[in-house]
Amino acid sequence: MVPWLLLLLPLPLPGLATTDKVYGVHPNLISKYVPSKSGSWKCLDGSKEIPWKFVNDDSCDCPDGSDEPGTSACSNSTFYCWNEGHVGAIIPSSRVRDGLCEPQCCDGSDELPGVCPNVCKELGESYRKKFAEERRLQKTVSSGSKIRSTYIAFAHKEKKRLEGLVETLSQEINVKEQEVERLRDIAERTESISQAALEHKQKSPLYQSLITHHNALKSLQREHKQHLEREKALGNILDALRAGYNPNYQDMAVLEAVRGWEELAGLPHIGASEEVKEGETKEEGEAVEATEDLEPGTWTADQLNDELDALLEADHVSLLLEHEEHIQSPTEGSLLYDLTSYLPDFVLPHYESFKDTLISWLHTLGIIHGDLDSTAADSSRAHQALTDAEAELERVKNERTTAEGDIAEIFNIHGFGAAGEWKKLDGTCLETEVGDYTYEVCLFNEAKQKPNHGGQTFSLGKYDSWNPSPDVKPGEPEYYQKQVYKHGTRCWNGPERSVVLLLTCGIENAILTVQELEKCEYQFTGTTPALCLPLDEGKKNSREEL
């Protein structure tokens, strides 16, 4: 039985030479495999004309091998697998009837019937799914790249705006520098006239007491801030203990600490309903407010936080001089002093300088009498004007420095990308809800974990860098597929919280998943159009329609 099979293997199928002349022919060439009226057929290269019966007879007659598309007789011929349900394929004719199932011919047509199974249906379904997914991805990339182009346009527009701002600020700085020099000259001249009188007034008991009170108040403020910081740190520890302890574990020391903190902070006992918690907290807060009775003139906590710095920054010399002016009887004004009401603003500085010099001469010659209180007050005002002008100059310079830094960062590969595509997303906040928490990441700023039903919000880290891997080159697409956020709130008996944000191309800026891979170490995945690079038309793969 076996020897007979071996003899039959190299032979074509029964009747193949007479019935299936187009076996193995590519669909585009079938129309050329038609015999002439005389029963002959011409090789595809036109070099020879042979009897039609010689086609697919397992004997190579044409120099180009075109007469044997379904056998392995011609070494330079090819065989076409129809692969119904999948994509057709071409293999060298030398692989036909070699006893091996070619993966390109999923229908097994390259071998005798029964040798190779027909798996085209399964492969076709898998191929179509893969093809549909690739088409979907291409569509996403195409749509995302259009959005990305708007990001790039925004970056160029922002750069132009900042450059205009820098130019405007530079001009403003030039004007303010001249103003500062003018005011400094006035302050120096008025100071030479009034310095002696001012030093005498600063020796008064009132001024010395004012300085002492200032120093004491500043010291109290420093101690108060230290106490607030310690109180906040202790509150965070107790909040973490309250949220993490097991109420069923009868550790009285822990239970007493938790209950004591709840009573002190006005918090409800754990286990109470949200409605009761809110009611209890509100009633306790109202009770404290009702019992609080401040003495007249006593500062509230808000005033201590908001207004104390301004009080400490007061100009004591100006206060001293204003006090001197207040306690002295006013004198009748002269035309020399009333002229300021009639002079235009641009003349006033020159007038003030001339007036101070003139008054000093009149005092020296004894023509007019009295002290130099008004001159000292003028000196204080001149110094205050100089200080204000210098502060304003410094503010404008800082604003220009910030704008220049922003310009340099827009197209920096370590910042917002070589094309500036990430500038638009600076500070954009993305959120997703997972269980009892909402996770938020504000790009280039901070990541947070926010409870959905009340409780403490934890920082998961502030933006630190793009992909820090040494194997990734800055500026490459992979470099912008990862952001690192570090130094978040420290976990209870654990490390500082941190986040690695993994990004892919998508038509929306969104967070997809949140995982805690290790204790307090989170991994976010998300999408953004900023990663959708334009499709390279020259590298598109041409695919055959199914």
Side-chain angles (χ1 to χ4, degrees), residues 397-410:
K397 284 184 176 180
N398 291 337
E399 188 175 349
R400 183 179 66 175
T401 300
T402 300
E404 290 173 340
D406 290 343
I407 292 175
E409 197 72 8
I410 289 179

Side-chain angles (χ1 to χ4, degrees), residues 135-151 422 424-425 428 430 503-512 526-533 535:
R135 290 290 298 271
R136 186 190 66 80
L137 290 176
Q138 286 185 356
K139 185 176 180 181
T140 298
V141 171
S142 178
S143 300
S145 65
K146 293 178 181 178
I147 301 174
R148 180 179 181 269
S149 66
T150 65
Y151 293 175
W422 294 93
K424 175 75 172 180
L425 301 180
T428 298
L430 314 178
L503 295 167
T504 56
C505 167
I507 59 176
E508 293 182 349
N509 294 295
I511 298 176
L512 302 181
T527 59
T528 174
L531 282 174
C532 297
L533 302 178
L535 292 171

Side-chain angles (χ1 to χ4, degrees), residues 38-69:
S38 62
S40 63
W41 182 81
K42 183 176 290 187
C43 301
L44 294 185
D45 63 358
S47 63
K48 190 176 182 181
E49 189 169 346
I50 61 175
W52 173 246
K53 64 181 180 179
F54 286 1
V55 176
N56 266 345
D57 66 346
D58 203 19
S59 177
C60 191
D61 299 299
C62 292
D64 62 353
S66 58
D67 63 312
E68 297 297 322

